[in-house]
Amino acid sequence: MSLNCSMWQDNSMSVKHFAFAKFSEVTEQCFLLFTLILLMFLASLTGNALIALAIWTNPVLHTPMYFFLSNLSFLEIGYTCSVIPKMLQSLVSEARGISWKGCATQMFFFTLFAISECCLLAAMAFDRYVAICSPLHYATRMNRGVCAHLAIVSWGVGCMVGLGQTNYIFSLDFCGPCEIDHFFCDLPPILALACGDTSYNEAAVFVVAILCISSPFLLIIASYGRILAAVLVMPSPEGRRKALSTCSSHLLVVTLFYGSGSVTYLRPKASHSPGTDKLLALFYTVVTSMLNPIIYSLRNKEVKAALQRTVGKKKILTHRMMKR
């Protein structure tokens, strides 16, 4: 059912308020999806927060690889918090509206965290490349200053792209319809609501997406190409296994993140459909964020041990407080 946008237009007939489309007319389906997303959201927040806490409270994990992993956990927390709360509200409430400024803010933060994660994953791949291909120079090449600069650049690129894309999209006129056929204010569904011919705007957004997604991905491919070449010439099978094991978690995360992101933003427009887009949106905003802490904690003995120590300390503190 289409919404009447007249109440959300100003004197210039420009829409200043949007509303998310209802997921289903069947209430039970909405509540089921609400429950599933809420559980995955809480699991994602808990897992990423525990990993960040474990890294910062365990000196043995104060290395470049885990410094980037803690940044990744913070990005995942911000990534999900920028879209999931409003998504949950829209599923079970009739108050599915969002203001023009609120939509722009959500798009900015979502883009910031997503692009920053692309860059950070590339930085993590470079870290593994230096560790495996130049182990004798690892401490000097990946010192604290270099790691901090790589993290700042990742966040900075995300911020600049977020500001640029959001300003570009919301400088367009929106004269109706005002219903967003999506779970949150993502670029394609908002661009579809703009007035007039937006083919030029869509092409510009597509080019930026290719540059921002493909450039870090090519750096990741190049890093792992050099890593594979270095591993193949290692004389010891145990050395090869150990080298590859330090990369397996990162490779899984890259596959999940870039796989869903590429299918969503880089596939032809003709193959887009609201149902498929929503399903992909759920995957790359909720499922991947929930799986990342599981991947790193299950496949990394150091992280697993640190998590056990961190949770153990919390239990001891809770027990002491209850005794008092």
Side-chain angles (χ1 to χ4, degrees), residues 61-267:
L61 297 184
H62 291 178
T63 63
M65 183 173 74
Y66 296 113
F67 168 77
F68 291 127
L69 179 56
S70 65
N71 271 268
L72 181 65
S73 294
F74 284 123
L75 279 173
E76 292 287 4
I77 291 171
Y79 191 63
T80 52
C81 287
S82 66
V83 296
I84 303 301
K86 188 64 181 178
M87 185 189 296
L88 291 171
Q89 181 191 6
S90 301
L91 282 170
V92 294
S93 171
E94 290 300 319
R96 302 193 309 276
I98 185 169
S99 68
W100 185 91
K101 289 182 179 178
C103 194
T105 302
Q106 187 183 66
M107 181 182 288
F108 164 71
F109 280 107
F110 174 76
T111 307
L112 183 158
F113 292 124
I115 299 301
S116 297
E117 185 162 342
C118 286
C119 297
L120 191 69
L121 288 172
M124 294 172 79
F126 177 72
D127 169 69
R128 292 297 82 208
Y129 157 70
V130 177
I132 293 171
C133 298
S134 303
L136 298 178
H137 303 287
Y138 181 66
T140 53
R141 289 187 179 180
M142 297 301 296
N143 57 52
R144 286 188 177 185
V146 172
C147 293
H149 277 97
L150 288 172
I152 290 169
V153 167
S154 298
W155 286 84
V157 170
C159 186
M160 286 190 293
V161 174
L163 281 172
Q165 289 282 65
T166 304
N167 182 65
Y168 181 69
I169 296 296
F170 283 90
S171 63
L172 302 172
D173 289 324
F174 298 91
C175 47
C178 57
E179 187 175 70
I180 304 169
D181 198 5
H182 205 51
F183 287 123
F184 61 95
C185 294
D186 202 2
L187 289 166
I190 296 299
L191 193 56
L193 300 179
C195 305
D197 182 17
T198 59
S199 55
Y200 173 78
N201 308 94
E202 289 172 3
V205 170
F206 184 74
V207 169
V208 172
I210 287 178
L211 290 174
C212 295
I213 294 175
S214 300
S215 299
F217 185 67
L218 289 175
L219 291 173
I220 293 171
I221 294 296
S223 296
Y224 276 106
R226 297 295 297 273
I227 288 171
L228 185 60
V231 168
L232 289 176
V233 298
M234 287 181 179
S236 167
E238 179 64 21
R240 290 196 293 269
R241 187 198 63 78
K242 188 175 180 181
L244 290 174
S245 68
T246 63
C247 304
S248 58
S249 298
H250 181 253
L251 277 172
L252 277 173
V253 170
V254 167
T255 303
L256 286 171
F257 182 79
Y258 274 97
S260 57
S262 299
V263 171
T264 302
Y265 295 107
L266 300 183
R267 76 185 195 275

